[in-house]
Structures are given as C-alpha cells and as structure tokens.
Amino acid sequence: MSNIGTAGDPRRQPPGEDFRTPLKRARGLGSGKAGTGHFWWQRVTAVALVLLVAWLLGLVVSLVGADLATARAAIGKPWNTIALALLAIAMFWHAKLGIQVVIEDYVHTRWAEVALQLINTFACATGALACLYALGRIAVAVTLANS
Amino acid sequence: MATRERPLSPHLQVYRWQITMTMSILHRATGVLLVGGAFGLAGWLLAVAAGGESYAQASACLASPLGQVLLFGFSAALVYHLLNGIRHLLWDIGWGFEIPEFYASGWTVAALTVVLTAALWIAAKGVGA
C-alpha cells in the first residue's frame, strides 16, 4: 500500500469521529483533576474567615470617621497588618473558589466559561496582591512616621 | 452511546416555599455581592496607603448617600454570609440534619443577621458621632 499514513489511508480515523470509550472521555474531567481540593480549601478559608471577619468588623467600626494618621496607625500595628494580610489572602481565595462554582453552574458556552474563569482567577489574585502591597506601604509609612 | 431522555426536575415554582430554599440562594447571592465588597476593601487599603487626596476622596465616597447605602448592603450581606457560613460548617461536621433543625437554624440566622447588622451600625454611628 502506498497510501499508509496519508489522508487516503483507509485505516486513518475519519475526521469528527471519536473512537474513545465513554470512560476515556470522562477521565480527567470534573473532580478528576484536583479531587476534594476545591471543597477542602473552601472550608479551610471559611474557618479562617469566620475568625478574621469577626475581627475585621471590630476594626472597621473603630475606624469610622478616622483621619488618615489614625487609620494608618491602626492598620500599621504589626499584628493588625498580619491579620489583614491573612484576611486578604483567605478572602480572595474564598472568593475565587465561590465565583468559580457560580461560573461552572450558569455559563454553558465553553469559550465564555474559560474566559470568565481566567478573569476570575486573575482578578482575585490581583485583589489579594493589591491588599498586600497597600499593607506593606502602610506599614512602612507608619514605621517612618514613628522613627 | 445513546443519550436517553431522562426525567427532569419540575420547575422550582411548583414547590411550597420553605426558608431553606431562600437561605440557600441568598448565600450564593450575598457571596457574589461580597466579592465586590472585597475589591472595595482592597481599594480602601490602597487609598489609605496613598494618603492625601486619595484618602480624602475615599472617605467622601464612603460618607456619601450612595456610599452609605452600599456599605449597609455589604455589611448586611457579610453578616448573613458569615452566619449562614457557620451553619454550613456545622452541617459539614454532621450537625443539624433533622428537618426541624434546618428550619430552626435558618430562622436563627435570619434573626441574628438583623440583630447583628443593626448592632454594627449603632456601634459605627456611635463611634462616628
């Protein structure tokens, strides 16, 4: 046979036909990639956020109407900066996991779903990093003001 | 593999209203809303870091009527999502799976949301005054 491996090869799979078994097509989809990772980290961040948000509400109420120096001094206290950094990471991680499920549930057009999932991941990562950057800058400003 | 026509769940409106269905959809709705709040918090921290004009603008926005309405919405959503989240965590450890307990914990969360949100704003106005 002179046509082996060419488009004329009768053994070649016709385009558009899928010879894979249903099991082969299902493998690697859904929770097959990360197992219980999504469920687990949603709960871990939730437990962290119960504590951190309860604390945050107290801090925010204490800063109502505060001027810049007061707000910076409160946020720039070492343990407050650390707790706010933990909050930023847990909060945006939890947000990313939650919005991911909302997109999975309601967006059924593949390209739109992939695009929204990317935007979700990038936006939440940016939000968390923006918080960490701001906290670092406030901590430095407070340190310089006190020295 | 042939795809069989499988029976589908009837539409939601045929069910009698129960508090559990409202709590469930509100948990998701407040969660989505709170992502906006999270970015708001990030923006406020950036304004505190930048200082000067940025902080003055952020403070003015938060004090404006629209800012106050948004803040109230975020605070109520946060309190609700926090309390109902605790309810979810208790289910995760196997607590409260009897139907009367679902209703009792649901109404408890609803009542505590109102009480705690009000307490938060009374405290905030007390500090700000």
Side-chain angles (χ1 to χ4, degrees), chain B residues 60-118:
Chain B
C61 280
L62 290 175
S64 72
L66 179 64
Q68 290 284 293
V69 168
L70 280 176
L71 267 184
F72 182 81
F74 285 135
S75 66
L78 183 59
V79 170
Y80 176 81
H81 199 86
L82 177 66
L83 294 173
N84 204 48
I86 293 170
R87 185 163 167 253
H88 270 277
L89 288 172
L90 291 174
W91 288 334
D92 288 340
I93 59 170
W95 182 89
F97 272 111
E98 296 301 323
I99 287 184
E101 291 172 327
F102 278 122
Y103 294 151
S105 61
W107 283 112
T108 304
V109 165
L112 278 178
T113 299
V114 174
V115 171
L116 284 181
T117 306

Side-chain angles (χ1 to χ4, degrees), chain B:
Chain B
M1 196 171 60
T3 311
R4 281 180 295 146
E5 285 288 323
R6 287 174 298 178
L8 296 171
S9 170
H11 291 292
L12 274 177
Q13 61 267 27
V14 306
Y15 293 105
R16 180 176 55 82
W17 180 85
Q18 304 155 61
I19 187 173
T20 44
M21 53 172 75
T22 305
M23 302 296 280
S24 174
I25 193 61
L26 271 180
H27 195 73
R28 177 165 282 199
T30 51
V32 172
L33 182 70
L34 285 170
V35 178
F39 282 100
L41 179 63
W44 183 73
L45 284 174
L46 286 170
V48 174
E53 190 62 28
S54 300
Y55 186 74
Q57 272 180 5
S59 299
C61 280
L62 290 175
S64 72
L66 179 64
Q68 290 284 293
V69 168
L70 280 176
L71 267 184
F72 182 81
F74 285 135
S75 66
L78 183 59
V79 170
Y80 176 81
H81 199 86
L82 177 66
L83 294 173
N84 204 48
I86 293 170
R87 185 163 167 253
H88 270 277
L89 288 172
L90 291 174
W91 288 334
D92 288 340
I93 59 170
W95 182 89
F97 272 111
E98 296 301 323
I99 287 184
E101 291 172 327
F102 278 122
Y103 294 151
S105 61
W107 283 112
T108 304
V109 165
L112 278 178
T113 299
V114 174
V115 171
L116 284 181
T117 306
L120 208 55
W121 279 81
I122 290 166
K125 292 296 170 192
V127 170

Side-chain angles (χ1 to χ4, degrees), chain A residues 74-87:
Chain A
I75 294 166
K77 281 182 187 160
W79 283 110
N80 284 357
T81 304
I82 291 166
L84 280 166
L86 285 172
L87 174 85

Side-chain angles (χ1 to χ4, degrees), chain A residues 43 50 53 57 61 64 66 68 71-72 75 91-92 95 99 101-102 105-106 123 130-131 133-134 137-138, chain B residues 1 28 35 38-39 41-42 44-46 48-52 55 78 82 86 89 92 120 123-124 127-128:
Chain A
R43 269 66 185 177
V50 169
V53 167
L57 290 175
V61 165
V64 171
L68 181 63
R72 277 187 178 170
I75 294 166
M91 179 176 67
F92 278 106
I99 295 296
V101 176
V102 173
D105 283 355
Y106 302 136
C131 286
Y133 163 78
R137 238 181 112 177
I138 293 165
Chain B
M1 196 171 60
R28 177 165 282 199
V35 178
F39 282 100
L41 179 63
W44 183 73
L45 284 174
L46 286 170
V48 174
Y55 186 74
L78 183 59
L82 177 66
I86 293 170
L89 288 172
D92 288 340
L120 208 55
V127 170

Side-chain angles (χ1 to χ4, degrees), chain A residues 30-98:
Chain A
S31 61
K33 279 166 286 193
T36 56
H38 184 284
F39 175 95
W40 183 248
W41 285 108
Q42 190 166 48
R43 269 66 185 177
V44 170
T45 51
V47 172
L49 285 168
V50 169
L51 305 170
L52 290 165
V53 167
W55 167 82
L56 174 78
L57 290 175
L59 180 76
V60 168
V61 165
S62 76
L63 287 178
V64 171
D67 59 20
L68 181 63
T70 312
R72 277 187 178 170
I75 294 166
K77 281 182 187 160
W79 283 110
N80 284 357
T81 304
I82 291 166
L84 280 166
L86 285 172
L87 174 85
I89 293 166
M91 179 176 67
F92 278 106
W93 193 349
H94 194 81
K96 185 262 171 192
L97 293 174

